Amino acid sequence: MGKGSNDATLLQSETMVRKVDSAASLEVLNNMNEAIVRRSQSQRIDDLQQLNRKGKFDGAIATFVQAFGGSKPITSILISNNGLAAVKFIRSVRGFSLKNLGDERAISLVAMATPEDMRVGAEHIRMADQIVEVPGGSNNNNYANVRLIVEVAQQQKVDAVWPGWGHASEYPDLPAALKAAGIVFLGPPSEPMAALGDKVGSTILAQAAKVPTLGWSGSNIAVSYEECKGVIPEDVYRKACISDGDEAAKICDQIGYPIMLKASWGGGGKGIRKVLDGKNVSNIFKQVQAEVPGSPIFAMKLAPRSRHLEVQLLADVHGNVCAVYSRDCSVQRRHQKIVEEAPAFGISKEFQAALHRSAIEAARAVGYENAGTVEFLVDADTWEFYFMEMNTRLQVEHPVSESVTNVDLVELQLRVAAGEELPLSQEDVKCDGHAVEVRLYAENPKKDFLPATGDLLRLRVPEGTREFELTDGVRVDSGVREGDSVTDYYDPMIAKMITKGEDRADAMGKMRRALGDLHIADLPNNVSFLRDILKHDKFLEGDFDTNFIPKHSSELFEEPSGEEKGRRAALALALRCALEQSGSKDSAWGRSDGFRGAGLSYVRQIEVGLEDEEVEEVEVEYLRQGGGVRMVDGGEVARILSLSSGSEFEAEVGGEMIRGEVVMSPGSIHVWTASGERFIASFPSPDHEDVEDGSSSVTSPMPGRVVQVFKKDGDEVKKGDPILAIEAMKMELLVSATTTGVLSGLKVSKDSKVGEGAVLAYIVDPAAAA
């Protein structure tokens, strides 16, 4: 058993797929939306030249592939992914082509593009040689639709398809269908993908290969790959799974708590729940079922203090398997990695060698090919390690492995798929220094990491940053640019930032400085949260595990002191005053509203809120002598000494000099200081009014899709009762009643799209409802 392909119903191909040559598509794209980024004249000339290059490099590619033992020259590739993954692939293939074939466009790259991607001028669309327009909406309609991908590949007559990560990258149906169509899949064959990509099946096979595993619902069940030919018998497979809540409670009691209940087809934090005792096992089982419908579910012992280590593998069709060092991915939120480093810190050479051997044995046992990652849980107390799962694709965190080994993993995916022998042996893989990667998300850490959507008003990376390149400095991998949008159809990752140092301390120091120089607006993000992790004493000492964030939440989510809040508020108000007085048409408050003092001191009522705090109305005195502002009920005097058109400012707050940058957005300002401090101050519009009608509104905490509705209009509800569930960007969230009463005005239904803050219903007093 394995993951399904989750195809959507397909339309006729003539209306579903439309080829757009990037050299001749500008009018088509611009007609769709004027916001599409136009190619420069030089790019257009390049595109026209690309049309004349078709076939020009076929001979050179064939000669290169044959020289390294390959048999399948690849001259054109369909990218069935978008965003960061697609951009990374294009950059790697272009670099390989320039280095080895003398022309970066020797291999033709065709990208799939949804209307949403085209409207925002997504980076992979700008870079590809050709694009193919595909249906929009959720990824079931496009990047995760196996039938669609195969049909596009056939229409475009490409030699190969690269799936990236996420979407359809782990659907065994995809490599199987492509093989039947005579098209190369840049990944493993369908048989080992199905066998290892399924968490239940892979653990059964790992046990047969004598790879250590934790106690779980399938302990003592072992079937070798040779014995079952990659397909575990149904009756054997079911013995390792749990069918209902009652059985879950029984098995969890047998294994012993704490337990993890997991959906075999889950991933990215979905379909996984911790069970601490036997009180609520049945309900937790139902939650896992709901998050990944149809997936087999199993239970596995949870090591209370565990590290999450993994081994990057590369394997060719000639039987060579190579471990490209270890990674530590222990720092996670919602069971999803946010800080990764290579090599794993604090382990001996002997321990690392044992990890490598177990990972290679697991891959050899199923005849694995191409890139993959074996994940292990390590008991932080006993230092025993256990097989967790194998990801049959390239991992998001692969750049840290590239950084310390100087190996381009995407390039080797291409070369292995062409039938070449790995150009390096295990002895050739050397570890140079230490690397750390952080995932930059559009999310709010203080609101349980709720994902966010919207426009990137600012995305400013540190000076000297390299994109998608191996470097000893700062590297950023991103599929978006300043002015682009983050939508709710895909993962809310903005970018990955990677730093490399001579050792771990050096790499971490570079990352902290890089995060301090990084500017992101107008979206909630986790930049400050990541900095707090990377400067935490326990993290720097190497004393961390998968429970690091919950364990240290009081320090990681520590609120600024009252004095610090007052200083920030004073600076924000002074900046607002300066923006008003500038009269700039670009200023959100650069308008005449009767409150400018014409050089006189005066007092004004202003609503202001810092970060996620409630907006408060404060009295602000605009000072005549020397300019500046002061809150009437106390606080420091803040003066803006200079404010450039480029948003740089110099200020004095309570006698302290502060330099930094400020960016305006409707109703708020974003402040970054030279010392690395950052905060947001919000100023509701003057016509903002609260409506009080005695009812309590139920609002959406995030943009997304309604996946379940538990109540109907007129139902009586108690505070905390679940009303509906919303899903977006790998997260499902229950929306519960905010008070006791009668539900009124519920308009949404299953599959309804809702925006963040949208009013979903009201809860009214029972007497009023009657």
Side-chain angles (χ1 to χ4, degrees):
M1 295 184 65
K3 294 184 180 179
S5 62
N6 203 16
D7 282 350
T9 302
L10 297 181
L11 306 173
Q12 292 298 316
S13 61
E14 292 78 20
T15 59
M16 178 184 62
V17 180
R18 181 154 57 92
K19 175 180 176 181
V20 185
D21 288 340
S22 59
S25 65
L26 294 174
E27 290 74 21
V28 175
L29 298 182
N30 289 334
N31 286 339
M32 286 190 63
N33 192 301
E34 285 299 321
I36 191 73
V37 177
R38 294 174 173 84
R39 291 178 180 267
S40 68
Q41 184 63 35
S42 62
Q43 286 174 308
R44 298 184 200 189
I45 294 171
D46 260 359
D47 287 341
L48 291 171
Q49 291 173 342
Q50 175 67 20
L51 297 178
N52 297 323
R53 291 173 177 169
K54 198 166 264 187
K56 177 180 177 181
F57 293 93
D58 290 5
I61 293 171
T63 300
F64 181 89
V65 169
Q66 290 166 9
F68 288 90
S71 57
K72 295 175 282 188
I74 296 173
T75 63
S76 57
I77 304 168
L78 172 68
I79 304 167
S80 61
N81 210 304
N82 67 334
L84 188 157
V87 173
K88 158 70 175 179
F89 183 76
I90 294 172
R91 294 288 293 259
S92 287
V93 173
R94 293 260 169 90
F96 163 78
S97 298
L98 181 62
K99 178 177 65 178
N100 297 290
L101 303 170
D103 190 307
E104 68 172 8
R105 296 199 174 192
I107 297 174
S108 178
L109 300 177
V110 182
M112 293 171 61
T114 65
E116 294 85 3
D117 284 332
M118 294 175 75
R119 274 197 292 271
V120 299
E123 185 73 1
H124 73 288
I125 294 176
R126 305 172 205 177
M127 295 177 67
D129 297 314
Q130 291 182 325
I131 60 174
V132 178
E133 186 185 339
V134 295
S138 71
N139 69 352
N140 292 339
N141 300 329
N142 37 72
Y143 304 111
N145 191 307
V146 170
R147 290 176 59 195
L148 172 63
I149 293 167
V150 175
E151 184 172 339
V152 172
Q154 289 176 314
Q155 287 182 353
Q156 301 307 305
K157 296 181 172 58
V158 296
D159 296 323
V161 170
W162 186 74
W165 50 83
H167 298 312
S169 62
E170 292 185 279
Y171 291 162
D173 290 352
L174 182 56
L178 290 170
K179 182 179 179 181
I183 299 170
V184 175
F185 178 71
L186 302 190
S190 59
E191 295 83 4
M193 178 185 283
L196 287 175
D198 177 88
K199 293 179 177 64
V200 171
S202 63
T203 310
I204 291 173
L205 293 171
Q207 289 176 159
K210 307 301 181 184
V211 178
T213 60
L214 279 165
W216 69 299
S217 51
S219 291
N220 304 318
I221 299 175
V223 180
S224 71
Y225 188 81
E226 293 81 3
E227 183 183 348
C228 67
K229 306 300 181 186
V231 181
I232 295 172
E234 182 77 14
D235 59 330
V236 176
Y237 187 97
R238 287 296 170 191
K239 286 179 183 177
C241 300
I242 301 171
S243 58
D244 55 42
D246 292 338
E247 186 181 7
K250 180 180 177 182
I251 289 176
C252 288
D253 286 341
Q254 291 173 352
I255 297 172
Y257 300 93
I259 291 283
M260 277 293 193
L261 283 179
K262 297 183 178 183
S264 187
W265 301 345
K270 288 188 65 174
I272 180 170
R273 286 288 188 278
K274 185 184 296 185
V275 185
L276 299 178
D277 51 49
K279 295 177 182 177
N280 205 25
V281 178
S282 183
N283 286 338
I284 295 174
F285 177 85
K286 291 175 183 176
Q287 290 175 7
V288 175
Q289 266 188 326
E291 285 193 11
V292 191
S295 172
I297 296 172
F298 65 101
M300 182 169 280
K301 178 70 177 177
L302 174 65
R305 276 186 14 96
S306 57
R307 297 264 295 272
H308 180 134
L309 306 189
E310 57 190 39
V311 177
Q312 175 67 59
L313 296 178
L314 282 168
D316 62 27
V317 299
H318 305 280
N320 302 305
V321 184
C322 187
V324 190
Y325 262 82
S326 60
R327 296 190 287 256
D328 193 316
C329 308
S330 300
V331 179
Q332 305 176 7
R333 57 97 177 96
R334 295 203 318 261
H335 307 294
Q336 194 172 26
K337 310 159 190 173
I338 56 172
V339 179
E340 301 107 350
E341 53 184 303
F345 179 67
I347 64 175
S348 66
K349 290 183 178 179
E350 294 74 20
F351 187 87
Q352 181 147 260
L355 274 183
H356 287 184
R357 282 195 301 271
S358 290
I360 290 171
E361 286 168 5
R364 286 192 189 282
V366 298
Y368 193 82
E369 298 171 16
N370 216 275
T373 301
V374 181
E375 300 190 350
F376 296 95
L377 273 180
V378 179
D379 190 313
D381 295 318
T382 66
W383 283 97
E384 294 177 306
F385 65 86
Y386 306 95
F387 175 87
M388 186 163 55
E389 63 178 304
M390 182 166 185
N391 285 286
T392 56
R393 55 174 168 79
L394 201 61
Q395 293 275 83
V396 173
E397 60 270 20
H398 73 273
V400 288
S401 296
E402 293 183 329
S403 293
V404 296
T405 61
N406 202 35
V407 170
D408 189 319
L409 293 169
V410 169
E411 174 187 321
L412 292 183
Q413 278 194 292
L414 171 63
R415 297 182 64 177
V416 165
E420 294 182 31
E421 286 195 58
L422 280 173
L424 71 170
S425 66
Q426 190 64 64
E427 291 71 30
D428 295 326
V429 181
K430 307 295 183 184
C431 183
D432 174 32
H434 198 92
V436 60
E437 172 185 291
V438 296
R439 302 190 190 190
L440 305 172
Y441 280 105
E443 65 182 16
N444 192 329
K446 293 183 179 179
K447 292 186 176 180
D448 197 26
F449 303 96
L450 278 178
T453 62
D455 297 332
L456 281 165
L457 180 66
R458 169 165 289 194
L459 179 56
R460 192 76 53 82
V461 299
E463 189 175 349
T465 295
R466 309 298 293 269
E467 292 186 280
F468 296 94
E469 292 183 21
L470 298 177
T471 174
D472 289 336
V474 181
R475 164 180 169 177
V476 168
D477 289 7
S478 179
V480 293
R481 291 287 180 269
E482 191 171 287
D484 288 353
S485 300
V486 175
T487 72
D488 61 350
Y489 287 117
Y490 313 117
D491 188 273
M493 188 189 297
I494 298 170
K496 301 181 295 186
M497 184 177 280
I498 305 98
T499 55
K500 180 185 177 183
E502 294 181 359
D503 53 27
R504 186 172 188 262
D506 187 29
M508 295 299 170
K510 287 180 178 178
M511 181 60 77
R512 287 193 299 274
R513 290 190 292 273
L515 288 170
D517 292 337
L518 177 68
H519 294 183
I520 298 177
D522 179 40
L523 284 170
N525 59 78
N526 64 342
V527 174
S528 294
F529 181 70
L530 290 168
R531 285 189 77 202
D532 289 341
I533 290 175
L534 266 61
K535 66 183 182 184
H536 195 284
D537 289 342
K538 293 296 183 182
F539 177 78
L540 295 176
E541 292 168 7
D543 183 11
F544 59 90
D545 52 47
T546 54
N547 201 42
F548 178 81
I549 290 176
K551 183 177 180 179
H552 299 288
S553 60
S554 60
E555 300 139 83
L556 295 174
F557 294 102
E558 186 177 6
E559 290 292 329
S561 65
E563 181 181 346
E564 178 60 27
K565 288 179 181 179
R567 191 179 67 84
R568 291 182 179 183
L571 175 59
L573 289 163
L575 284 166
R576 170 171 176 166
C577 175
L579 292 168
E580 287 180 328
Q581 291 173 348
S582 72
S584 167
K585 66 177 182 178
D586 296 323
S587 168
W589 304 285
R591 58 182 182 274
S592 177
D593 56 7
F595 287 101
R596 298 184 187 172
L600 303 176
S601 297
Y602 62 88
V603 174
R604 177 181 176 184
Q605 302 277 358
I606 296 181
E607 287 186 319
V608 60
L610 289 175
E611 301 293 344
D612 300 309
E613 294 186 356
E614 294 291 327
V615 172
E616 295 182 5
E617 189 174 78
V618 297
E619 279 192 322
V620 179
E621 182 181 7
Y622 285 59
L623 303 174
R624 176 182 179 182
Q625 295 295 328
V629 301
R630 180 180 67 84
M631 284 184 282
V632 172
D633 62 352
E636 305 284 2
V637 173
R639 293 182 174 88
I640 304 302
L641 305 179
S642 67
L643 178 63
S644 73
S645 58
S647 77
E648 295 180 356
F649 69 85
E650 288 189 358
E652 181 184 1
V653 181
E656 178 188 355
M657 298 297 295
I658 299 174
R659 291 185 299 107
E661 292 187 55
V662 59
V663 167
M664 300 168 289
S665 62
S668 65
I669 59 174
H670 302 253
V671 180
W672 298 271
T673 69
S675 64
E677 183 182 3
R678 63 191 65 212
F679 65 89
I680 303 170
S682 57
F683 299 95
S685 57
D687 58 356
H688 170 77
E689 293 182 6
D690 291 324
V691 179
E692 297 183 7
D693 60 2
S695 64
S696 173
S697 61
V698 179
T699 59
S700 174
M702 64 180 183
R705 178 177 65 92
V706 176
V707 291
Q708 292 186 80
V709 180
F710 306 108
K711 302 291 184 181
K712 63 181 184 299
D713 235 27
D715 281 356
E716 292 189 6
V717 294
K718 296 179 181 178
K719 184 177 181 179
D721 283 354
I723 296 174
L724 50 83
I726 295 172
E727 180 186 57
M729 299 179 281
K730 295 187 176 182
M731 183 178 184
E732 185 173 303
L733 198 72
L734 286 177
V735 177
S736 302
T738 52
T739 187
T740 297
V742 175
L743 201 62
S744 175
L746 181 64
K747 303 295 184 183
V748 297
S749 56
K750 186 177 179 182
D751 293 325
S752 294
K753 293 276 292 179
V754 296
E756 181 179 3
V759 177
L760 307 173
Y762 295 91
I763 299 174
V764 300
D765 184 271

